[in-house]
């Protein structure tokens, strides 16, 4: 086994996307190194067990100690490991934590001060090839009474859950470390007692006193408070209350800047977001407190000042740090509800931007079909592709929120002033974005009979109302649009953006449309094998006049083999039909199986009263649907306020789609949930991607 100069095992994290199939953030152990500079070893999967073995280029990795590897292995998803690794100072402190050290963790959407109790090993020690993960056992600190009083124990935390580490002034502290000769009491979870506990709630009080906390507030008071900041205020009765700033501005009847806080606890003198006769934000009753902004200070429970300069572990090279800024993958299905769902989530709307917010959210939240546009765009670091990539897409996937300022910066780079001020149609924005800004080849190549293929980025469905049933599906509408206009796809598109048959913001040809979750485009592909409608053999002819024949499943595309074509058109009512010969690949046997080509729905844009929203499918589970509205709520007035974007989980969409098409077409929309109604009644554009 390969070891470093000190005889220790060599571990690594994959920092660059590997051609060997290893994803960024994977943790591995190097057993040997080739002359070409490749590391040979194994990569660990969930639970720390060996998942695979192989090689990876050394320059695509960052070296780790065993302790660092064990801490990072407990962090998920893998992309969070790289984010933590890049914060060298914080990660160094986490690696050196000792018992009774004071930290701040994010727990249940709040930030909580805690004392480190112990390191926890997770995984089976005796199993070969297992690298045990390390987590932290913490005790919650009750800050209302005594900053060091312990309350009920908390669940185990990973290193990525720790957002701040208080300084330690004790020379006797020893860092928690994995010990090789521990007496494990349990197979799955073990506490590491390899170092002396600091017998010291009292000793700790000597190092972090009320004076330290007070000086912390003074030192950080220069930092400007903003919406979302955690703050504290001394109330009229002298008690300190804590909360999150939800609004900043000049309220009606006042001259100076005030702040509206949503308090941690209820108070009888507080409101639900109103001040005087006006509402500036909304929260639970008796929790909204309005005070002059100058009365607010940063929350002292989470402020620690340190003069120590920790010695960091060897950081990645500058080039590698740049590579750590590679494209962030979509949020994993299992993390979407905790990472994306909620208020102030998604892309914040501002000044007629809903068409752009909903479109970008649909294109990039869960699908990777458009990631290639970044690699093909060659603008500068300050160009529009760079803004879209780093300030919007990566930020959305990494933190779950994109502020309106980032969106406006992007809008101003679109080449036309009206895009920064006026509402546009999504198809106009998509064409501008792909063609004129990012120089992407057209997504669609569509040919009419006997003509050359035409390029397009989206397809507008054009049908007659009497050609389909009252509640049509996108599958029926697309097929009818192609057949009635004698169109075919020249090739299978990687992404298909379909516009519903509605014109302007008010006129809808159909009051409701069912977005097909899978779109079969086999029968509208040029030069592709197709099945005979009747016998299932290889089709040779297509007849448009048979399309609406009430005896032959009206609305279904009619393609026939030579025999069935002759038999069908013997009927007196069909003698005047003029079926045309299909263009199929040469030398295919008559009974050759026909491969079906399907595309998968990944997003739907909807519009109602000039406002765009979107539904996004974020994973393979049929119920994995979320709803996004960039302007779902408003805090403050038109001049000083801001929009609140909201993402909601909507598994009921998947439940509705689980029905057969016949059941969906018969459903009473009035009895459906609000979001199912919006999806059916307001659909404007459906986005599909290849399933391969």
């Amino acid at each position: 086994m390969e070891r470093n100069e000190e005889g220790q095992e060599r571990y690594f994290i994959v920092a660059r996307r590997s051609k060997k199939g290893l994803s960024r953030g994977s943790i591995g152990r190097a057993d040997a190194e080739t002359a070409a500079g490749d590391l040979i070893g194994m990569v660990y999967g969930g639970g720390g067990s060996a998942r695979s073995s192989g090689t990876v280029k050394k320059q695509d990795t960052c070296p780790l100690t065993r302790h660092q590897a064990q801490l990072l292995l407990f962090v998920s998803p893998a992309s969070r490991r790289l984010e933590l690794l890049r914060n060298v100072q914080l990660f160094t402190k986490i690696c050196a934590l000792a018992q009774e050290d004071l930290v701040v963790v994010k727990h249940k959407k709040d930030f909580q001060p805690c004392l480190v109790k112990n390191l926890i090993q997770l995984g089976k020690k005796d199993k070969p090839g297992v690298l045990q993960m390390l987590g932290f056992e913490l005790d919650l600190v009750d800050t209302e009474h005594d900053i060091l009083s312990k309350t009920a124990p908390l669940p185990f935390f990973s290193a990525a859950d720790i957002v701040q580490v208080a300084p330690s002034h004790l020379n006797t502290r020893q860092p928690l470390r994995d010990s090789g000769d521990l007496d494990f009491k349990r197979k799955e979870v073990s506490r590491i007692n390899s170092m002396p506990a600091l017998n010291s709630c009292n000793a700790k009080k000597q190092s972090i006193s009320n004076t330290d906390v007070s000086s912390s507030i003074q030192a950080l008071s220069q930092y400007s408070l903003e919406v979302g900041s955690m703050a504290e205020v001394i109330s009229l009765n002298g008690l300190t209350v804590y909360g999150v700033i939800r609004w900043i501005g000049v309220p009606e009847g006042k001259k100076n800047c005030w702040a509206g806080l949503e308090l941690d606890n209820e108070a009888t003198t507080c409101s639900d977001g109103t001040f005087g006769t006006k509402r500036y934000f909304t929260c639970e009753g008796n929790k909204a407190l309005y005070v002059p902004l100058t009365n607010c200070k940063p929350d002292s429970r989470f402020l620690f000042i340190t003069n120590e300069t920790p010695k960091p572990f060897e950081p990645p090279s500058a080039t590698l740090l740049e590579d750590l800024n590679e494209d962030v993958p979509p949020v994993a299905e299992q993390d979407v509800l905790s990472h994306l769902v909620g208020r102030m989530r998604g892309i914040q709307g501002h000044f007629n931007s809903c068409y752009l917010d909903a479109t970008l959210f649909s294109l990039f939240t869960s699908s990777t079909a458009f990631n290639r546009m970044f690699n093909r765009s060659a603008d500068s670091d300050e160009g529009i592709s760079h803004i879209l990539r780093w300030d919007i897409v990566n930020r959305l996937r990494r933190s779950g929120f994109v502020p309106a300022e980032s969106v406006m910066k992007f809008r101003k780079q679109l080449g036309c002033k009206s895009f920064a001020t006026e509402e546009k149609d999504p198809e106009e924005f998509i064409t501008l974005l792909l063609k004129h800004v990012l120089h992407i080849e057209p997504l669609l190549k569509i040919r009419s009979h006997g003509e050359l293929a035409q390029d397009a980025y989206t397809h507008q469905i054009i049908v007659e109302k009497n050609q389909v049933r009252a509640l049509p599906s996108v599958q029926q509408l697309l097929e009818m649009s192609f057949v009635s206009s004698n169109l075919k796809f020249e090739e299978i598109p990687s992404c298909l953006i379909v516009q519903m048959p509605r014109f302007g913001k008010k006129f809808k040809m159909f009051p409701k449309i069912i977005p097909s979750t899978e779109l079969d485009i086999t029968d509208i592909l040029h030069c592709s094998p197709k099945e005979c409608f009747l016998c299932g053999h290889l089709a040779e002819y297509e007849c448009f006049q048979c399309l609406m024949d009430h005896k032959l499943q009206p609305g279904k595309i009619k393609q026939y083999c030579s025999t069935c074509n002759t038999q069908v058109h013997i009927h007196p009512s069909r003698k005047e039909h003029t079926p045309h010969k299909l263009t199929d690949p040469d030398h295919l046997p008559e009974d050759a199986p026909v491969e079906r080509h399907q595309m998968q729905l990944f997003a739907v844009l909807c519009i109602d009263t000039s406002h765009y929203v979107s539904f996004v499918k974020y994973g393979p589970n049929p119920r994995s649907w979320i709803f996004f509205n960039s302007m779902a709520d408003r805090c403050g007035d038109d001049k000083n306020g801001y929009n609140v974007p909201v993402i909601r989980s909507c598994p009921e969409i998947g439940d509705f789609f689980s029905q057969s098409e016949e059941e969906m077409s018969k459903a009473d929309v009035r009895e459906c949930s609000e979001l199912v109604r919006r999806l059916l009644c307001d659909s404007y554009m459906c986005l599909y991607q290849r399933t391969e």
Side-chain angles (χ1 to χ4, degrees):
M1 183 179 297
E2 184 80 3
R3 297 175 182 267
N4 61 18
E5 294 179 357
E6 298 176 355
Q8 298 174 331
E9 295 175 2
R10 296 173 59 188
Y11 294 89
F12 62 84
I13 183 170
V14 179
R16 289 192 185 98
R17 188 174 288 108
S18 169
K19 294 181 180 179
K20 305 290 185 181
L22 300 180
S23 59
R24 295 172 66 248
S26 298
I27 303 291
R29 187 190 73 207
D31 295 333
E33 183 174 341
T34 67
D38 290 346
L39 298 179
I40 303 174
M42 65 174 63
V43 173
Y44 298 100
S49 58
R51 184 185 68 191
S52 61
S53 59
T55 62
V56 61
K57 290 187 179 297
K58 187 176 181 179
Q59 61 263 35
D60 291 341
T61 68
C62 177
L64 300 172
T65 66
R66 178 186 174 90
H67 186 67
Q68 292 163 357
Q70 289 180 286
L71 288 172
L72 291 172
L73 197 57
F74 191 40
V75 175
S76 64
S79 57
R80 291 183 69 197
R81 299 170 184 168
L82 293 172
E83 293 175 27
L84 178 59
L85 187 63
R86 292 183 65 234
N87 193 338
V88 176
Q89 188 173 22
L90 176 62
F91 188 50
T92 303
K93 289 182 178 182
I94 292 172
C95 291
L97 282 173
Q99 286 182 333
E100 303 295 346
D101 271 348
L102 188 60
V103 298
V104 175
V105 296
K106 189 171 184 181
H107 178 55
K108 294 182 178 179
K109 298 184 179 181
D110 290 322
F111 294 93
Q112 302 280 3
C114 298
L115 289 178
V116 176
K117 185 177 181 181
N118 228 321
L119 264 180
I120 300 297
Q121 285 184 325
L122 298 103
K124 297 182 179 180
K125 184 188 176 188
D126 344 5
K127 192 173 179 181
V130 170
L131 178 66
Q132 291 182 300
M133 301 179 292
L134 291 181
F136 291 94
E137 185 178 18
L138 305 176
D139 279 336
L140 183 66
V141 173
D142 183 357
T143 55
E144 291 186 5
H145 303 93
D146 184 339
I147 192 170
L148 298 172
S149 297
K150 298 180 182 179
T151 59
L154 298 173
F156 303 146
F157 289 89
S158 75
D161 296 320
I162 299 175
V163 297
Q164 198 168 5
V165 177
S168 175
H169 306 287
L170 298 177
N171 296 324
T172 57
R173 66 189 295 277
Q174 297 182 28
L176 290 157
R177 280 291 185 271
D178 184 2
S179 174
D181 53 354
L182 299 177
D183 179 21
F184 292 100
K185 297 181 180 179
R186 286 187 283 170
K187 272 190 173 182
E188 297 296 336
V189 177
S190 303
R191 285 165 173 77
I192 301 177
N193 299 309
S194 56
M195 41 75 67
L198 297 177
N199 216 354
S200 77
C201 267
N202 291 330
K204 200 68 165 178
K205 287 180 180 177
Q206 298 172 11
S207 64
I208 303 178
S209 63
N210 290 335
T211 305
D212 295 327
V213 174
S214 177
S215 63
S216 299
I217 297 175
Q218 294 176 6
L220 292 184
S221 62
Q222 56 183 314
Y223 295 159
S224 59
L225 291 167
E226 57 186 18
V227 172
S229 296
M230 294 178 289
E232 64 180 44
V233 177
I234 298 178
S235 62
L236 294 176
N237 58 9
L239 295 177
T240 301
V241 293
Y242 304 92
V244 177
I245 295 179
R246 293 284 306 279
W247 176 84
I248 294 177
V250 180
E252 201 171 75
K254 303 294 181 181
K255 294 182 179 180
N256 299 320
C257 203
W258 282 50
L261 289 85
E262 181 176 353
L263 300 182
D264 291 351
N265 301 299
E266 293 184 8
T268 54
T269 55
C270 294
S271 71
D272 63 351
T274 57
F275 184 62
T277 59
K278 204 160 185 182
R279 175 177 298 280
Y280 296 99
F281 68 93
T282 301
C283 67
E284 295 179 24
N286 299 325
K287 279 195 172 185
L289 173 69
Y290 288 87
V291 295
L293 184 59
T294 53
N295 289 10
C296 298
K297 297 178 181 179
D299 193 329
S300 62
R301 296 175 298 177
F302 308 133
L303 300 180
F304 307 110
I305 298 298
T306 177
N307 296 320
E308 59 181 306
T309 306
K311 181 181 178 181
F313 64 91
E314 182 182 352
S317 65
T319 304
L320 192 55
L321 283 176
E322 291 175 9
D323 290 333
L324 292 180
N325 284 325
E326 285 182 357
D327 294 331
V328 179
V331 181
E333 182 179 27
Q334 66 270 20
D335 298 320
V336 165
L337 297 184
S338 60
H339 187 71
L340 288 179
V341 172
R343 290 173 60 84
M344 293 304 284
R345 301 278 84 189
I347 303 174
Q348 186 180 30
H350 175 66
F351 207 40
N352 297 323
S353 69
C354 64
Y355 75 94
L356 184 143
D357 307 327
T359 302
L360 292 178
F361 189 85
S362 298
L363 291 176
F364 296 109
T365 301
S366 68
S367 174
T368 58
F370 290 90
N371 279 11
R372 61 194 176 102
M373 68 173 59
F374 301 132
N375 300 326
R376 295 188 181 185
S377 179
D379 59 19
S380 68
D381 286 348
E382 298 301 321
I384 188 168
S385 177
H386 185 270
I387 296 172
L388 176 64
R389 185 179 192 175
W390 303 120
D391 296 351
I392 296 180
V393 177
N394 283 355
R395 191 167 188 172
L396 173 65
R397 292 173 175 178
R398 179 180 289 115
S399 66
F401 174 71
V402 179
E405 293 79 8
S406 296
V407 180
M408 181 56 74
K409 182 181 177 182
F410 174 71
R411 293 171 73 185
K412 289 179 179 179
Q413 294 281 333
L414 285 172
C416 179
K417 290 184 179 179
S418 62
F419 274 96
T421 56
E422 300 175 9
E423 184 178 302
K424 301 288 185 179
D425 292 327
E427 64 270 21
E428 182 182 0
F429 167 61
I430 288 173
T431 300
L432 174 73
L433 177 70
L434 301 185
K435 181 179 181 180
H436 299 292
V437 176
L438 298 171
H439 313 294
I440 301 299
E441 293 294 323
L443 302 174
L444 311 177
K445 295 185 183 297
I446 302 174
R447 67 156 59 218
S448 183
H449 184 63
E451 297 181 6
L452 296 175
Q454 301 292 315
D455 296 337
Y457 290 92
T458 62
H459 176 70
Q460 172 68 65
I461 289 176
I462 300 175
V463 296
E464 297 294 335
K465 194 167 186 176
N466 61 358
Q467 288 180 317
V468 293
R469 61 192 185 194
L471 181 52
S473 67
V474 173
Q475 178 77 52
Q476 296 165 344
L477 290 171
L478 182 67
E479 288 184 345
M480 184 61 68
S481 177
F482 266 62
V483 173
S484 60
S485 301
N486 203 4
L487 303 176
K488 289 284 190 293
F489 284 118
E490 180 76 10
E491 58 188 35
I492 303 172
S494 61
C495 184
L496 174 57
I497 302 175
V498 185
Q499 297 169 239
M500 299 301 101
R502 57 183 299 163
F503 307 96
K505 300 175 178 66
K506 297 182 179 179
F507 175 74
K508 296 189 292 185
M509 180 172 285
F510 302 96
K512 296 176 285 292
I513 294 174
I514 300 172
S516 305
T517 54
E518 285 190 341
L519 206 57
D520 192 326
I521 63 170
T522 308
D523 295 335
I524 51 178
L525 272 175
H526 177 69
C527 200
S528 174
K530 301 167 182 63
E531 283 184 353
C532 174
F533 173 72
L534 294 175
C535 70
H537 285 169
L538 192 65
E540 299 178 51
Y541 295 88
E542 184 174 63
C543 182
F544 171 68
Q545 289 99 326
C546 287
L547 186 68
M548 299 306 296
D549 193 311
H550 67 280
K551 294 181 180 179
L552 295 171
Q553 294 187 33
K556 296 285 289 184
I557 293 179
K558 307 303 187 303
Q559 294 161 337
Y560 307 107
C561 67
S562 180
T563 303
C564 292
N565 181 61
T566 302
Q567 292 177 345
V568 165
H569 291 99
I570 289 175
H571 194 282
S573 66
R574 306 188 191 104
K575 283 186 177 182
E576 301 301 320
H577 290 190
T578 55
H580 68 267
K581 188 86 162 117
L582 290 171
T583 305
D584 289 326
D586 297 331
H587 312 300
L588 279 176
E590 192 175 295
D591 58 350
V594 174
E595 181 184 1
R596 308 304 297 184
H597 300 285
Q598 295 181 322
M599 306 195 73
Q600 193 173 56
L601 179 70
F602 70 89
V604 180
L605 264 73
C606 295
I607 182 173
D608 181 35
T609 60
S610 301
H611 181 62
Y612 290 94
V613 296
S614 69
F615 293 84
V616 169
K617 181 78 161 54
Y618 63 85
N621 189 308
R623 305 183 82 233
S624 293
W625 282 90
I626 51 177
F627 169 77
F628 167 63
N629 186 347
S630 66
M631 303 178 182
D633 196 6
R634 178 86 182 167
C635 284
D637 55 27
D638 292 339
K639 183 178 180 181
N640 299 309
Y642 59 91
N643 290 312
V644 178
V646 170
I647 299 177
R648 294 165 57 183
S649 172
C650 47
E652 64 269 27
I653 300 295
D655 295 338
F656 181 81
F657 282 146
S658 68
Q659 304 176 92
S660 68
E661 195 168 292
E662 184 178 354
E663 290 174 321
M664 287 190 284
S665 64
K666 293 179 180 178
D668 187 347
V669 179
R670 292 171 299 181
E671 297 180 0
C672 296
S673 70
E674 171 214 349
L675 294 183
V676 171
R677 286 198 303 271
R678 293 188 75 166
L679 183 69
L680 297 178
C681 300
D682 301 333
S683 57
Y684 181 89
M685 182 179 282
C686 294
L687 289 76
Y688 293 86
Q689 61 189 357
R690 291 181 66 168
T691 55
E692 291 86 350

